[in-house]
Amino acid sequence: PAPFSDALRRAVRESGLSYLQLEHETGVHRASLSRFMAGKRTLRLDVADKLAARLGLAVQVGNHPTT
């Protein structure tokens, strides 16, 4: 399976939301988001959680999805 960061990047791209809109809705700074999307930086787990929640992503462990 692909790393969660790849899934998160894909979800951001496919959402059609601007970095500014995501910043307003999640509190994640658009500069941090831009660096993450460019592969220049990682995100702290709490920041990734905010984006994942807004984008409707869930983590699945084994065969049991969790949110």
Side-chain angles (χ1 to χ4, degrees):
F4 183 70
S5 56
D6 290 348
L8 188 54
R9 284 184 185 96
R10 185 173 50 253
V12 169
R13 279 193 306 272
E14 292 176 358
S15 74
L17 299 170
S18 70
Y19 295 169
L20 181 60
Q21 188 173 354
L22 283 169
E23 179 180 47
H24 286 303
E25 294 181 13
T26 65
V28 176
H29 294 267
R30 61 187 157 177
S32 297
L33 184 56
S34 178
R35 288 189 295 267
F36 169 72
M37 294 298 291
K40 295 179 180 178
R41 300 278 184 183
T42 59
L43 294 175
R44 291 189 334 241
L45 187 55
D46 62 318
V47 173
D49 284 346
K50 290 176 186 179
L51 286 173
R54 170 58 184 88
L55 298 169
L57 293 181
V59 174
Q60 182 172 332
V61 179
N63 294 326
H64 305 288
T66 60
T67 56

